[in-house]
Amino acid sequence: MKTKLLFLISFLMMLLAVGPLWAAAQDTRSGSNAPSGAAALTSSSELVTQAWEASSKRDFKRLDQLVRDGLEHYGAEADREQKILKNFPLRGEESAYAALNDVGTLLFVQAEAIMNDGRCDDASKAFLRVIKNYSWAQAWDPSRGSFWSIAEKSQDSVDVCSGKSEEEDAKHFKKTPRTRPYLATPGTDKIIDYTKYGQFIDVGTDHYKYSIADLVGLANAAGEGIYPNENGIYKNPRYRQYLREGKLKGRHWDYVNTDDLEAAYFKWVTAPEPWGVRLFYLGMIFEKAEMYYEALKAYHALVVHLPNTVSMTYWQTPWYPAQAAVAKIRHIIRVHPELGLDYKWMNVKVLNGFDNDTKNDVFITYPGKIFKKGMLGKVKDTLNPEERCSLGKVIKRLGEGEVRLVQYENMHWQLMVHDQPYVIKGMTYAPTKVGQSPDKGTLADWMTFDSNNDGLLDGPYEAWVDKNHNDIQDPNEKSVGDFQLMKEMGVNTLRMYHQPFPLNKAVLRDLFKRYGIRIIIGDFLGKYTFGSGASWSKGTDYEDPEQKKKMMASVRDMVLEHKDEPYVLLWLLGNENNYGVACNADKKPEAYFKFVDEVAQMIKSLDSNHPVAIANGDTLFLDIFAKYSPNVDIFGANVYRGDYGFGAFWEQVFDATGRPAMITEYGCPAFAANLNMDEAETAQMNYHQGNWMDIEENLAGRSRGVGNALGGVAFEWTDEWWKNYEPFRHDRKSNAIGPFPGGLYYEEWFGMTSQGKGQHSPFERQLRKVYFYYAGVWNKKFF
């Protein structure tokens, strides 16, 4: 997928320990709604703030009193507001129903506290009362900047109490049957040599086109369903049967993630979408059906015939299917060497493609060729991601200490530590105990959390592996600790921020000394208002002198505190600030990236021994970054494009900046509604494999890639149950579309490890398949 496909989606997945600050968000949620002249009367929003606090302290007496106060003073108004609504208020109008929202939230907090106390019957009654009486009430979530349905979350909690979640567990362990598309008229050619059927004109220019000379021959070679064989589908008896049986009703988008791949194929061949879009989704369907030759033909047809296709995503952002198709072709050939295929000369560049305006886009197309290995004579056609090329002499050095960057004569970049090449094999590590949540002010700092008071940190030193998945610590399942497990996995780097909790230097020193793991230390640089002092509702303003001064001070403190520590690998600025969310970098990107450069210069004045990187949201505004942030050494980005890797990311970064790049966050959930648990784990592993192979192919010295990749940080170590609001439930719901198995984000399932059923959190770890994949590839030598 293209840069802009996910620029709004990806912020939904990653919120690292963002504090709730309920009181600070009152002006956004509901404001002060105490009656005029009643100075002694506590506002409903303040009652909610106090209720969350009382719940976190398990102060039931105080919580009950707060609920009584809320009902006494605001209950009648809440009932009135509920009656006049027929649906949720329109976005922006929620504050007009402050009493309803806050009374509903108070009752929800009380019911949840009862459930957490083990009184499920009483809790269910309380939740059902909320559902019945306050169905349109919504609670404000300051960490995401949005409202959520109290009735929906109440129903989720009722399901937990009733054991329905365990029934869902059983369902997801069943094998999912899948159909495979039947092709009545398959293509005569497994791989199409387009030079046999027409002519490529103006290759490598914005005037490129493919002129068909033998339409019949090309249609026969492609086979039904693949352009230009538009009518072949109507000769398929299975298609006619599906129509008669009514199996093709509904929207074609509803068939993207179906297990009936034959129905999906029929639906998408005849979908009311441009052929370029249809070809991409047909390629995906063929991939799922393991019909790889058909998938390759669909993707390649898109590149050859329709490279200028532009579509709009669910988020109304531009998407360029041809670029994604090139990446898909590379991915299939890379992970399926048994096909014996290779490709050459294939690329689609989109000039002016780092904004959301498609009118200024210019497409430069190289249609390329797919072929059997050994069929190009003297042309080297191996597709080994480890195939090496000569680096030449070092022509540029950045940094003076033990951690530095070097660039070679062939323009490849490499990160060096003690004069040895260093590939970032990184992990996002933020373990949370089931039941804790930053949304409710209950999230503890894992760097100080010792729940059993034995003097050892819970996750880092006392985690144990549930080898047989029975959710019991058997005698042979000794405590080993996350740090040791990550070392055995091959992790050499963790990504951390010095906000909102201070970093425990003693822990980090031990992490480096005993386990050899270094730290990327970050400052949010005003994202989520951290460091700027701004209110959440107004957000950080990168043109405000006072806010900039505070952020500078925050970064300065970070650098001075840690710069001489041996565990520091590099400094990281921001976290998808270019997407907005409590900051205006999305509206004022020039001001933001100018400030980023000022901060980078300040860091280098204090510490010349460690590189400076940015954590962008994909490549949105990459051109503005290139122009205004020359002192940032590494372009880093959180990128979620699909199982094929990162597409044109490496090339885009190098073309725009000439600098090295890293993926500061990537990953995939181990859950999908249309897959059972085993299938979902396999899909997660395959996704990571495709992503890591793409990183590896673009490391310095690899002949197939760009040579500017420094590595990546996988997201994340273990599942965090709080991310979909109910921290005692391992939620299986998602309202956000994403490029993952099942087509949706499941925010609570991204872990390399799980916490089982949660009763032994924060100690229990069940290692997923992806853990063992990385243990196999990260423990080898890359240079």
Side-chain angles (χ1 to χ4, degrees):
M1 295 185 182
K2 176 64 182 70
T3 297
K4 303 171 216 174
L5 171 60
L6 296 172
F7 94 94
L8 283 176
I9 300 177
S10 61
F11 87 86
L12 291 170
M13 192 184 61
M14 161 53 177
L15 290 169
L16 292 173
V18 180
L21 302 178
W22 289 95
Q26 286 176 208
D27 55 334
T28 300
R29 187 184 74 227
S30 59
S32 176
N33 57 0
S36 176
L41 180 59
T42 305
S43 70
S44 63
S45 58
E46 178 59 25
L47 290 174
V48 169
T49 301
Q50 294 179 27
W52 284 118
E53 181 180 2
S55 175
S56 68
K57 296 178 179 179
R58 302 178 69 82
D59 187 345
F60 295 105
K61 183 177 180 181
R62 172 65 174 156
L63 178 57
D64 290 346
Q65 183 60 55
L66 290 166
V67 172
R68 284 195 296 271
D69 290 347
L71 289 171
E72 178 183 353
H73 297 295
Y74 304 103
E77 178 62 15
D79 292 342
R80 187 190 70 81
E81 292 172 358
Q82 169 70 23
K83 288 178 181 178
I84 65 176
L85 286 172
K86 302 298 181 184
N87 206 328
F88 292 112
L90 296 175
R91 182 172 295 182
E93 297 181 3
E94 296 93 345
S95 61
Y97 302 90
L100 171 62
N101 292 336
D102 291 337
V103 168
T105 303
L106 284 168
L107 291 169
F108 176 83
V109 174
Q110 183 184 49
E112 186 181 59
I114 295 171
M115 180 182 73
N116 296 343
D117 195 44
R119 294 176 282 155
C120 267
D121 289 343
D122 292 339
S124 293
K125 293 177 183 177
F127 282 124
L128 291 172
R129 176 187 178 189
V130 176
I131 295 169
K132 178 182 178 181
N133 296 329
Y134 302 103
S135 58
W136 306 125
Q138 298 180 94
W140 171 251
D141 178 359
S143 67
R144 294 172 178 82
S146 61
F147 287 89
W148 49 269
S149 167
I150 294 171
E152 178 184 330
K153 300 307 174 187
S154 295
Q155 185 60 57
D156 288 345
S157 297
V158 171
D159 291 344
V160 171
C161 289
S162 67
K164 187 175 179 180
S165 57
E166 294 189 7
E167 295 175 12
E168 292 178 359
D169 277 337
K171 179 185 72 175
H172 283 290
F173 276 103
K174 294 179 181 178
K175 186 67 178 175
T176 307
R178 287 185 177 83
T179 62
R180 195 176 189 219
Y182 168 72
L183 303 181
T185 54
T188 57
D189 298 0
K190 281 190 171 183
I191 294 297
I192 298 175
D193 179 359
Y194 281 95
T195 62
K196 292 169 55 177
Y197 305 103
Q199 182 181 5
F200 297 118
I201 300 173
D202 292 332
V203 172
T205 75
D206 59 343
H207 299 296
Y208 161 82
K209 67 177 182 179
Y210 176 67
S211 178
I212 301 174
D214 181 3
L215 179 60
V216 174
L218 180 56
N220 290 336
E224 69 173 75
I226 297 175
Y227 188 89
N229 195 334
E230 301 182 42
N231 298 319
I233 186 71
Y234 301 111
K235 300 177 183 179
N236 192 321
R238 292 281 294 167
Y239 172 67
R240 295 194 295 270
Q241 179 182 342
Y242 265 64
L243 283 176
R244 287 194 305 270
E245 295 175 356
K247 293 182 178 180
L248 300 179
K249 295 180 180 179
R251 303 181 315 143
H252 51 290
W253 293 111
D254 297 332
Y255 288 74
V256 171
N257 297 303
T258 180
D259 294 321
D260 189 344
L261 299 177
E262 188 167 34
Y265 163 67
F266 294 146
K267 196 70 178 179
W268 270 94
V269 172
T270 57
E273 297 286 342
W275 253 109
V277 176
R278 277 192 273 170
L279 285 168
F280 185 83
Y281 282 96
L282 286 168
M284 288 180 59
I285 292 164
F286 287 134
E287 261 193 280
K288 291 177 183 178
E290 300 181 359
M291 300 168 67
Y292 299 119
Y293 283 104
E294 284 76 12
L296 289 168
K297 283 197 289 186
Y299 291 135
H300 198 200
L302 167 54
V303 176
V304 169
H305 297 290
L306 304 156
N308 294 16
T309 301
V310 180
S311 184
M312 300 303 291
T313 71
Y314 173 85
W315 303 96
Q316 293 304 300
T317 57
W319 170 51
Y320 305 108
Q323 281 195 328
V326 173
K328 278 287 194 178
I329 290 169
R330 181 167 61 241
H331 170 69
I332 292 173
I333 292 175
R334 189 163 52 201
V335 300
H336 293 288
E338 72 276 6
L339 298 175
L341 298 176
D342 203 348
Y343 72 98
K344 286 285 186 183
W345 313 299
M346 193 182 303
N347 194 9
V348 177
K349 294 188 177 184
V350 183
L351 307 183
N352 306 320
F354 299 124
D355 55 28
N356 289 319
D357 180 10
T358 61
K359 295 179 181 178
N360 63 359
D361 293 339
V362 177
F363 293 81
I364 306 297
T365 302
Y366 299 85
K369 183 181 182 70
I370 302 174
F371 53 89
K372 280 285 186 180
K373 288 184 179 180
M375 296 300 291
L376 289 187
K378 295 181 180 180
V379 178
K380 199 169 187 179
D381 60 13
T382 180
L383 190 59
N384 181 358
E386 298 184 9
E387 180 190 344
R388 308 303 171 90
C389 64
S390 174
L391 292 168
K393 298 179 181 178
V394 173
I395 62 171
K396 189 174 184 178
R397 291 180 174 85
L398 295 177
E400 301 173 3
E402 66 179 43
V403 183
R404 62 168 67 97
L405 292 159
V406 298
Q407 188 176 33
Y408 298 97
E409 283 181 315
N410 70 344
M411 306 307 291
H412 288 194
W413 282 98
Q414 202 162 56
L415 182 64
M416 308 292 287
V417 177
H418 290 303
D419 294 321
Q420 296 297 315
Y422 188 99
V423 177
I424 297 171
K425 297 174 285 187
M427 185 64 60
T428 302
Y429 185 72
T432 58
K433 180 179 172 63
V434 168
Q436 293 180 352
S437 170
D439 299 324
K440 300 168 184 180
T442 58
L443 184 68
D445 180 5
W446 67 264
M447 301 190 80
T448 60
F449 193 54
D450 177 16
S451 64
N452 56 7
N453 298 311
D454 66 351
L456 295 174
L457 299 182
D458 291 348
Y461 299 115
E462 295 196 278
W464 51 272
V465 177
D466 180 17
K467 298 177 182 178
N468 56 8
H469 290 207
N470 65 350
D471 288 287
I472 297 173
Q473 186 175 11
D474 297 314
N476 65 332
E477 295 171 343
K478 305 296 183 182
S479 295
V480 58
D482 287 335
F483 289 173
Q484 179 63 31
L485 290 172
M486 286 190 287
K487 178 183 178 180
E488 293 173 4
M489 183 181 178
V491 173
N492 64 4
T493 309
L494 299 186
R495 173 192 175 193
M496 297 181 182
Y497 286 81
H498 77 125
Q499 307 142 317
F501 301 118
L503 297 176
N504 187 328
K505 295 171 72 171
V507 174
L508 299 184
R509 287 168 181 164
D510 187 62
L511 176 67
F512 174 70
K513 183 177 180 180
R514 292 175 58 191
Y515 305 97
I517 297 176
R518 295 175 181 268
I519 308 298
I520 295 172
I521 301 182
D523 185 286
F524 283 113
L525 210 64
K527 184 66 181 284
Y528 321 121
T529 72
F530 280 134
S532 69
S535 67
W536 182 277
S537 59
K538 293 182 179 179
T540 299
D541 182 356
Y542 294 101
E543 292 180 333
D544 185 302
E546 286 301 313
Q547 293 184 28
K548 290 167 65 176
K549 183 178 178 180
K550 291 177 181 178
M551 289 184 281
M552 275 283 196
S554 175
V555 175
R556 179 183 292 273
D557 290 345
M558 172 186 74
V559 175
L560 293 177
E561 176 74 11
H562 299 281
K563 69 184 182 69
D564 296 322
E565 296 292 341
Y567 51 72
V568 178
L569 180 67
L570 55 88
W571 308 109
L572 189 65
L573 299 177
N575 180 51
E576 300 180 351
N577 299 43
N578 57 316
Y579 291 160
V581 183
C583 75
N584 65 3
D586 58 331
K587 299 176 181 63
K588 298 180 180 180
E590 183 175 322
Y592 169 65
F593 287 116
K594 284 181 177 178
F595 178 62
V596 166
D597 198 64
E598 293 175 29
V599 175
Q601 292 182 63
M602 184 267 289
I603 291 176
K604 291 181 177 182
S605 72
L606 301 174
D607 175 30
S608 60
N609 296 328
H610 301 96
V612 179
I614 192 171
N616 207 56
D618 212 296
T619 55
L620 180 67
F621 304 135
L622 175 59
D623 51 344
I624 301 177
F625 165 82
K627 183 176 182 180
Y628 292 109
S629 300
N631 288 286
V632 176
D633 304 309
I634 302 166
F635 182 80
N638 300 349
V639 185
Y640 296 87
R641 297 192 183 183
D643 61 358
Y644 56 80
F646 310 101
F649 173 83
W650 311 105
E651 182 181 26
Q652 290 168 338
V653 174
F654 189 80
D655 288 349
T657 71
R659 293 178 232 178
M662 64 177 290
I663 307 299
T664 46
E665 185 184 304
Y666 69 96
C668 174
F671 179 83
N674 63 320
L675 302 177
N676 67 36
M677 292 297 188
D678 183 70
E679 291 168 331
E681 271 199 40
T682 299
Q684 180 195 40
M685 178 185 68
N686 291 340
Y687 187 106
H688 275 272
Q689 179 187 19
N691 280 224
W692 183 255
M693 290 181 76
D694 192 50
I695 291 172
E696 186 175 346
E697 186 175 276
N698 287 280
L699 294 173
R702 300 313 200 263
S703 62
R704 300 287 305 205
V706 178
N708 63 339
L710 304 180
V713 181
F715 185 84
E716 64 180 323
W717 173 246
T718 195
D719 294 339
E720 297 178 88
W721 286 30
W722 63 267
K723 294 223 166 162
N724 208 13
Y725 304 102
E726 173 43 69
F728 285 91
R729 175 183 171 84
H730 206 181
D731 207 294
R732 295 179 174 85
K733 290 190 176 181
S734 176
N735 297 319
I737 291 176
F740 307 113
L744 295 170
Y745 275 96
Y746 292 95
E747 292 192 80
E748 298 187 1
W749 294 81
F750 274 77
M752 312 286 121
T753 72
S754 83
Q755 300 195 66
K757 293 184 177 179
Q759 65 262 44
H760 296 296
S761 176
F763 304 103
E764 181 181 358
R765 300 288 182 262
Q766 292 182 359
L767 306 182
R768 292 190 170 122
K769 295 178 182 180
V770 65
Y771 175 93
F772 298 102
Y773 164 72
Y774 277 122
V777 298
W778 278 359
N779 281 299
K780 69 179 183 181
K781 290 186 177 180
F782 288 91
F783 298 103

